[in-house]
Amino acid sequence: MMSAMDPSLQEIVYRSLKEDYAAGEFSPGRRLDVQEIADRYRSSKTPAREALCRLMGEGLIEPHPDGGLRLSQYSGQRLVQLYAWNMSLLIGLVHEVRLSVLKRAIEEATPSVLHPTPVGISRAIGSLFLSLATATGNEFAILSVSNLNERLHYVRIAEVQDFSDAEKEVRTLTNLSVTDLQKSMRRRLETYHVRRIERQKGHL
């Protein structure tokens, strides 16, 4: 029997969905339906539907053209806009953070061991960006960057074609051996995002 302090079944399904989403368990484009989610997490359809509605509100899933749901598809101009907003937000945050706090934020987010998988790369990038937001102490910045990380998670997974190149990019973003860390970090963030924006524009 559940106590008043126990999470609801809907909350349990929601948390489990988010954990599997972060672990890269879902395939972009593949159709999901409520019954499948209910069966996966051993619940009835109502908690599964409510959990999926929460993820839809967060921009992580969307209606599938053939019915049911799928991971939200970010590509083309939509992805360009998402990258541009992510870049502007992060550069602005770095500008506001004191040097000592910025250095600590980067140190805390630098992985001692980088998991050699696309999911590991995406998580490392997301961890760094969230650490930059957390360093500001602004709860709205933290929520915004966290949601952007989740929206871009599967995009970042798909981007990893060569692990050595991806690892080098992570190491560059987290390099502290520079004269002007704030200026260097803003330039790195711009380079990281502009490279992806230009790549998308080339496909338009």
Side-chain angles (χ1 to χ4, degrees), residues 112-140:
S112 53
V113 177
L114 189 59
H115 295 288
T117 64
V119 172
I121 292 293
S122 179
R123 283 181 159 173
I125 294 292
S127 177
L128 173 62
F129 292 171
L130 185 57
S131 187
L132 296 176
T134 302
T136 67
N138 186 319
E139 65 174 299
F140 299 103

PDB file of all heavy atoms in Angstrom, residues 112-140:
ATOM      1  N   SER A 112      36.273  12.734 -16.029  1.00  0.00           N
ATOM      2  CA  SER A 112      37.584  12.099 -15.866  1.00  0.00           C
ATOM      3  C   SER A 112      37.740  10.973 -16.875  1.00  0.00           C
ATOM      4  O   SER A 112      38.818  10.730 -17.416  1.00  0.00           O
ATOM      5  CB  SER A 112      37.748  11.554 -14.441  1.00  0.00           C
ATOM      6  OG  SER A 112      36.663  10.706 -14.103  1.00  0.00           O
ATOM      7  N   VAL A 113      36.635  10.278 -17.121  1.00  0.00           N
ATOM      8  CA  VAL A 113      36.595   9.232 -18.152  1.00  0.00           C
ATOM      9  C   VAL A 113      35.403   9.522 -19.048  1.00  0.00           C
ATOM     10  O   VAL A 113      34.270   9.599 -18.568  1.00  0.00           O
ATOM     11  CB  VAL A 113      36.459   7.827 -17.540  1.00  0.00           C
ATOM     12  CG1 VAL A 113      36.351   6.787 -18.636  1.00  0.00           C
ATOM     13  CG2 VAL A 113      37.638   7.516 -16.622  1.00  0.00           C
ATOM     14  N   LEU A 114      35.651   9.706 -20.322  1.00  0.00           N
ATOM     15  CA  LEU A 114      34.582   9.988 -21.269  1.00  0.00           C
ATOM     16  C   LEU A 114      34.107   8.676 -21.875  1.00  0.00           C
ATOM     17  O   LEU A 114      34.878   7.977 -22.524  1.00  0.00           O
ATOM     18  CB  LEU A 114      35.085  10.933 -22.361  1.00  0.00           C
ATOM     19  CG  LEU A 114      34.061  11.513 -23.321  1.00  0.00           C
ATOM     20  CD1 LEU A 114      32.995  12.303 -22.567  1.00  0.00           C
ATOM     21  CD2 LEU A 114      34.758  12.421 -24.332  1.00  0.00           C
ATOM     22  N   HIS A 115      32.843   8.321 -21.640  1.00  0.00           N
ATOM     23  CA  HIS A 115      32.319   7.055 -22.162  1.00  0.00           C
ATOM     24  C   HIS A 115      32.316   7.103 -23.685  1.00  0.00           C
ATOM     25  O   HIS A 115      31.720   8.008 -24.278  1.00  0.00           O
ATOM     26  CB  HIS A 115      30.919   6.808 -21.627  1.00  0.00           C
ATOM     27  CG  HIS A 115      30.891   6.610 -20.144  1.00  0.00           C
ATOM     28  ND1 HIS A 115      31.381   5.469 -19.530  1.00  0.00           N
ATOM     29  CD2 HIS A 115      30.443   7.406 -19.139  1.00  0.00           C
ATOM     30  CE1 HIS A 115      31.239   5.579 -18.217  1.00  0.00           C
ATOM     31  NE2 HIS A 115      30.672   6.741 -17.956  1.00  0.00           N
ATOM     32  N   PRO A 116      32.981   6.136 -24.318  1.00  0.00           N
ATOM     33  CA  PRO A 116      33.163   6.174 -25.773  1.00  0.00           C
ATOM     34  C   PRO A 116      31.924   5.741 -26.553  1.00  0.00           C
ATOM     35  O   PRO A 116      31.956   4.801 -27.348  1.00  0.00           O
ATOM     36  CB  PRO A 116      34.335   5.207 -25.984  1.00  0.00           C
ATOM     37  CG  PRO A 116      34.174   4.200 -24.888  1.00  0.00           C
ATOM     38  CD  PRO A 116      33.641   4.977 -23.704  1.00  0.00           C
ATOM     39  N   THR A 117      30.829   6.411 -26.318  1.00  0.00           N
ATOM     40  CA  THR A 117      29.579   6.124 -27.022  1.00  0.00           C
ATOM     41  C   THR A 117      28.924   7.456 -27.385  1.00  0.00           C
ATOM     42  O   THR A 117      29.188   8.482 -26.745  1.00  0.00           O
ATOM     43  CB  THR A 117      28.603   5.326 -26.146  1.00  0.00           C
ATOM     44  OG1 THR A 117      28.218   6.136 -25.018  1.00  0.00           O
ATOM     45  CG2 THR A 117      29.225   4.026 -25.654  1.00  0.00           C
ATOM     46  N   PRO A 118      28.057   7.471 -28.384  1.00  0.00           N
ATOM     47  CA  PRO A 118      27.319   8.700 -28.699  1.00  0.00           C
ATOM     48  C   PRO A 118      26.527   9.232 -27.507  1.00  0.00           C
ATOM     49  O   PRO A 118      26.471  10.444 -27.286  1.00  0.00           O
ATOM     50  CB  PRO A 118      26.402   8.269 -29.847  1.00  0.00           C
ATOM     51  CG  PRO A 118      27.164   7.176 -30.534  1.00  0.00           C
ATOM     52  CD  PRO A 118      27.822   6.428 -29.407  1.00  0.00           C
ATOM     53  N   VAL A 119      25.927   8.333 -26.727  1.00  0.00           N
ATOM     54  CA  VAL A 119      25.186   8.764 -25.539  1.00  0.00           C
ATOM     55  C   VAL A 119      26.142   9.412 -24.539  1.00  0.00           C
ATOM     56  O   VAL A 119      25.827  10.443 -23.928  1.00  0.00           O
ATOM     57  CB  VAL A 119      24.433   7.590 -24.892  1.00  0.00           C
ATOM     58  CG1 VAL A 119      23.819   7.999 -23.545  1.00  0.00           C
ATOM     59  CG2 VAL A 119      23.336   7.074 -25.820  1.00  0.00           C
ATOM     60  N   GLY A 120      27.319   8.827 -24.367  1.00  0.00           N
ATOM     61  CA  GLY A 120      28.316   9.381 -23.447  1.00  0.00           C
ATOM     62  C   GLY A 120      28.762  10.768 -23.861  1.00  0.00           C
ATOM     63  O   GLY A 120      28.923  11.658 -23.006  1.00  0.00           O
ATOM     64  N   ILE A 121      28.932  10.989 -25.164  1.00  0.00           N
ATOM     65  CA  ILE A 121      29.316  12.309 -25.672  1.00  0.00           C
ATOM     66  C   ILE A 121      28.206  13.318 -25.417  1.00  0.00           C
ATOM     67  O   ILE A 121      28.440  14.424 -24.929  1.00  0.00           O
ATOM     68  CB  ILE A 121      29.637  12.244 -27.179  1.00  0.00           C
ATOM     69  CG1 ILE A 121      30.917  11.432 -27.427  1.00  0.00           C
ATOM     70  CG2 ILE A 121      29.759  13.653 -27.761  1.00  0.00           C
ATOM     71  CD1 ILE A 121      32.181  12.060 -26.904  1.00  0.00           C
ATOM     72  N   SER A 122      26.983  12.936 -25.747  1.00  0.00           N
ATOM     73  CA  SER A 122      25.844  13.843 -25.544  1.00  0.00           C
ATOM     74  C   SER A 122      25.694  14.220 -24.077  1.00  0.00           C
ATOM     75  O   SER A 122      25.449  15.383 -23.739  1.00  0.00           O
ATOM     76  CB  SER A 122      24.551  13.197 -26.052  1.00  0.00           C
ATOM     77  OG  SER A 122      23.449  14.055 -25.846  1.00  0.00           O
ATOM     78  N   ARG A 123      25.864  13.251 -23.202  1.00  0.00           N
ATOM     79  CA  ARG A 123      25.740  13.527 -21.769  1.00  0.00           C
ATOM     80  C   ARG A 123      26.862  14.449 -21.279  1.00  0.00           C
ATOM     81  O   ARG A 123      26.640  15.312 -20.425  1.00  0.00           O
ATOM     82  CB  ARG A 123      25.738  12.211 -20.985  1.00  0.00           C
ATOM     83  CG  ARG A 123      24.396  11.480 -21.054  1.00  0.00           C
ATOM     84  CD  ARG A 123      24.424  10.208 -20.255  1.00  0.00           C
ATOM     85  NE  ARG A 123      23.080   9.767 -19.897  1.00  0.00           N
ATOM     86  CZ  ARG A 123      22.795   8.621 -19.306  1.00  0.00           C
ATOM     87  NH1 ARG A 123      23.785   7.775 -18.983  1.00  0.00           N
ATOM     88  NH2 ARG A 123      21.553   8.297 -19.002  1.00  0.00           N
ATOM     89  N   ALA A 124      28.057  14.268 -21.819  1.00  0.00           N
ATOM     90  CA  ALA A 124      29.184  15.118 -21.410  1.00  0.00           C
ATOM     91  C   ALA A 124      28.943  16.568 -21.824  1.00  0.00           C
ATOM     92  O   ALA A 124      29.183  17.503 -21.046  1.00  0.00           O
ATOM     93  CB  ALA A 124      30.481  14.600 -22.021  1.00  0.00           C
ATOM     94  N   ILE A 125      28.464  16.762 -23.050  1.00  0.00           N
ATOM     95  CA  ILE A 125      28.154  18.116 -23.521  1.00  0.00           C
ATOM     96  C   ILE A 125      27.029  18.720 -22.687  1.00  0.00           C
ATOM     97  O   ILE A 125      27.095  19.869 -22.233  1.00  0.00           O
ATOM     98  CB  ILE A 125      27.752  18.089 -25.011  1.00  0.00           C
ATOM     99  CG1 ILE A 125      28.934  17.664 -25.891  1.00  0.00           C
ATOM    100  CG2 ILE A 125      27.196  19.447 -25.449  1.00  0.00           C
ATOM    101  CD1 ILE A 125      30.072  18.652 -25.948  1.00  0.00           C
ATOM    102  N   GLY A 126      25.986  17.928 -22.463  1.00  0.00           N
ATOM    103  CA  GLY A 126      24.858  18.411 -21.678  1.00  0.00           C
ATOM    104  C   GLY A 126      25.255  18.756 -20.251  1.00  0.00           C
ATOM    105  O   GLY A 126      24.783  19.744 -19.685  1.00  0.00           O
ATOM    106  N   SER A 127      26.135  17.952 -19.671  1.00  0.00           N
ATOM    107  CA  SER A 127      26.604  18.200 -18.306  1.00  0.00           C
ATOM    108  C   SER A 127      27.361  19.517 -18.219  1.00  0.00           C
ATOM    109  O   SER A 127      27.191  20.290 -17.267  1.00  0.00           O
ATOM    110  CB  SER A 127      27.493  17.037 -17.850  1.00  0.00           C
ATOM    111  OG  SER A 127      28.024  17.284 -16.561  1.00  0.00           O
ATOM    112  N   LEU A 128      28.206  19.789 -19.213  1.00  0.00           N
ATOM    113  CA  LEU A 128      28.953  21.043 -19.232  1.00  0.00           C
ATOM    114  C   LEU A 128      28.010  22.238 -19.340  1.00  0.00           C
ATOM    115  O   LEU A 128      28.114  23.207 -18.576  1.00  0.00           O
ATOM    116  CB  LEU A 128      29.936  21.052 -20.400  1.00  0.00           C
ATOM    117  CG  LEU A 128      30.662  22.382 -20.641  1.00  0.00           C
ATOM    118  CD1 LEU A 128      31.526  22.767 -19.439  1.00  0.00           C
ATOM    119  CD2 LEU A 128      31.495  22.321 -21.917  1.00  0.00           C
ATOM    120  N   PHE A 129      27.083  22.176 -20.280  1.00  0.00           N
ATOM    121  CA  PHE A 129      26.175  23.304 -20.492  1.00  0.00           C
ATOM    122  C   PHE A 129      25.296  23.537 -19.258  1.00  0.00           C
ATOM    123  O   PHE A 129      25.045  24.684 -18.881  1.00  0.00           O
ATOM    124  CB  PHE A 129      25.307  23.053 -21.722  1.00  0.00           C
ATOM    125  CG  PHE A 129      26.069  23.070 -23.027  1.00  0.00           C
ATOM    126  CD1 PHE A 129      25.450  22.679 -24.211  1.00  0.00           C
ATOM    127  CD2 PHE A 129      27.402  23.457 -23.079  1.00  0.00           C
ATOM    128  CE1 PHE A 129      26.137  22.704 -25.413  1.00  0.00           C
ATOM    129  CE2 PHE A 129      28.106  23.469 -24.284  1.00  0.00           C
ATOM    130  CZ  PHE A 129      27.462  23.090 -25.456  1.00  0.00           C
ATOM    131  N   LEU A 130      24.853  22.463 -18.622  1.00  0.00           N
ATOM    132  CA  LEU A 130      24.029  22.621 -17.420  1.00  0.00           C
ATOM    133  C   LEU A 130      24.858  23.182 -16.267  1.00  0.00           C
ATOM    134  O   LEU A 130      24.356  23.985 -15.469  1.00  0.00           O
ATOM    135  CB  LEU A 130      23.412  21.279 -17.021  1.00  0.00           C
ATOM    136  CG  LEU A 130      22.422  21.325 -15.843  1.00  0.00           C
ATOM    137  CD1 LEU A 130      21.275  22.289 -16.127  1.00  0.00           C
ATOM    138  CD2 LEU A 130      21.889  19.935 -15.539  1.00  0.00           C
ATOM    139  N   SER A 131      26.131  22.795 -16.185  1.00  0.00           N
ATOM    140  CA  SER A 131      27.007  23.316 -15.141  1.00  0.00           C
ATOM    141  C   SER A 131      27.208  24.821 -15.306  1.00  0.00           C
ATOM    142  O   SER A 131      27.252  25.571 -14.324  1.00  0.00           O
ATOM    143  CB  SER A 131      28.359  22.602 -15.180  1.00  0.00           C
ATOM    144  OG  SER A 131      29.164  22.966 -14.084  1.00  0.00           O
ATOM    145  N   LEU A 132      27.298  25.283 -16.558  1.00  0.00           N
ATOM    146  CA  LEU A 132      27.428  26.712 -16.823  1.00  0.00           C
ATOM    147  C   LEU A 132      26.181  27.460 -16.352  1.00  0.00           C
ATOM    148  O   LEU A 132      26.272  28.548 -15.774  1.00  0.00           O
ATOM    149  CB  LEU A 132      27.657  26.963 -18.314  1.00  0.00           C
ATOM    150  CG  LEU A 132      28.946  26.403 -18.919  1.00  0.00           C
ATOM    151  CD1 LEU A 132      28.976  26.654 -20.421  1.00  0.00           C
ATOM    152  CD2 LEU A 132      30.180  27.000 -18.248  1.00  0.00           C
ATOM    153  N   ALA A 133      25.022  26.860 -16.590  1.00  0.00           N
ATOM    154  CA  ALA A 133      23.770  27.483 -16.147  1.00  0.00           C
ATOM    155  C   ALA A 133      23.665  27.471 -14.627  1.00  0.00           C
ATOM    156  O   ALA A 133      23.260  28.463 -14.011  1.00  0.00           O
ATOM    157  CB  ALA A 133      22.583  26.759 -16.772  1.00  0.00           C
ATOM    158  N   THR A 134      24.033  26.358 -14.029  1.00  0.00           N
ATOM    159  CA  THR A 134      23.956  26.225 -12.568  1.00  0.00           C
ATOM    160  C   THR A 134      24.857  27.239 -11.882  1.00  0.00           C
ATOM    161  O   THR A 134      24.540  27.746 -10.801  1.00  0.00           O
ATOM    162  CB  THR A 134      24.332  24.793 -12.145  1.00  0.00           C
ATOM    163  OG1 THR A 134      23.454  23.866 -12.800  1.00  0.00           O
ATOM    164  CG2 THR A 134      24.210  24.611 -10.642  1.00  0.00           C
ATOM    165  N   ALA A 135      25.987  27.556 -12.510  1.00  0.00           N
ATOM    166  CA  ALA A 135      26.931  28.512 -11.925  1.00  0.00           C
ATOM    167  C   ALA A 135      26.325  29.896 -11.744  1.00  0.00           C
ATOM    168  O   ALA A 135      26.779  30.678 -10.908  1.00  0.00           O
ATOM    169  CB  ALA A 135      28.181  28.607 -12.805  1.00  0.00           C
ATOM    170  N   THR A 136      25.279  30.208 -12.508  1.00  0.00           N
ATOM    171  CA  THR A 136      24.642  31.521 -12.380  1.00  0.00           C
ATOM    172  C   THR A 136      23.732  31.587 -11.156  1.00  0.00           C
ATOM    173  O   THR A 136      23.411  32.675 -10.675  1.00  0.00           O
ATOM    174  CB  THR A 136      23.786  31.846 -13.613  1.00  0.00           C
ATOM    175  OG1 THR A 136      22.654  30.962 -13.669  1.00  0.00           O
ATOM    176  CG2 THR A 136      24.601  31.726 -14.888  1.00  0.00           C
ATOM    177  N   GLY A 137      23.282  30.434 -10.676  1.00  0.00           N
ATOM    178  CA  GLY A 137      22.338  30.412  -9.573  1.00  0.00           C
ATOM    179  C   GLY A 137      20.940  30.833  -9.984  1.00  0.00           C
ATOM    180  O   GLY A 137      20.054  30.988  -9.132  1.00  0.00           O
ATOM    181  N   ASN A 138      20.703  31.009 -11.274  1.00  0.00           N
ATOM    182  CA  ASN A 138      19.400  31.441 -11.794  1.00  0.00           C
ATOM    183  C   ASN A 138      18.562  30.219 -12.131  1.00  0.00           C
ATOM    184  O   ASN A 138      18.880  29.476 -13.059  1.00  0.00           O
ATOM    185  CB  ASN A 138      19.616  32.316 -13.038  1.00  0.00           C
ATOM    186  CG  ASN A 138      18.334  32.923 -13.565  1.00  0.00           C
ATOM    187  OD1 ASN A 138      17.297  32.268 -13.609  1.00  0.00           O
ATOM    188  ND2 ASN A 138      18.405  34.174 -13.978  1.00  0.00           N
ATOM    189  N   GLU A 139      17.479  30.005 -11.379  1.00  0.00           N
ATOM    190  CA  GLU A 139      16.680  28.796 -11.566  1.00  0.00           C
ATOM    191  C   GLU A 139      16.057  28.711 -12.956  1.00  0.00           C
ATOM    192  O   GLU A 139      15.872  27.624 -13.508  1.00  0.00           O
ATOM    193  CB  GLU A 139      15.580  28.696 -10.505  1.00  0.00           C
ATOM    194  CG  GLU A 139      14.530  29.780 -10.574  1.00  0.00           C
ATOM    195  CD  GLU A 139      13.395  29.538  -9.583  1.00  0.00           C
ATOM    196  OE1 GLU A 139      12.716  28.503  -9.700  1.00  0.00           O
ATOM    197  OE2 GLU A 139      13.202  30.389  -8.696  1.00  0.00           O
ATOM    198  N   PHE A 140      15.737  29.862 -13.547  1.00  0.00           N
ATOM    199  CA  PHE A 140      15.128  29.859 -14.876  1.00  0.00           C
ATOM    200  C   PHE A 140      16.150  29.507 -15.950  1.00  0.00           C
ATOM    201  O   PHE A 140      15.831  28.837 -16.930  1.00  0.00           O
ATOM    202  CB  PHE A 140      14.461  31.207 -15.158  1.00  0.00           C
ATOM    203  CG  PHE A 140      13.357  31.525 -14.194  1.00  0.00           C
ATOM    204  CD1 PHE A 140      13.553  32.438 -13.174  1.00  0.00           C
ATOM    205  CD2 PHE A 140      12.137  30.875 -14.275  1.00  0.00           C
ATOM    206  CE1 PHE A 140      12.542  32.719 -12.265  1.00  0.00           C
ATOM    207  CE2 PHE A 140      11.117  31.144 -13.371  1.00  0.00           C
ATOM    208  CZ  PHE A 140      11.320  32.061 -12.368  1.00  0.00           C
TER     209      PHE A 140
END
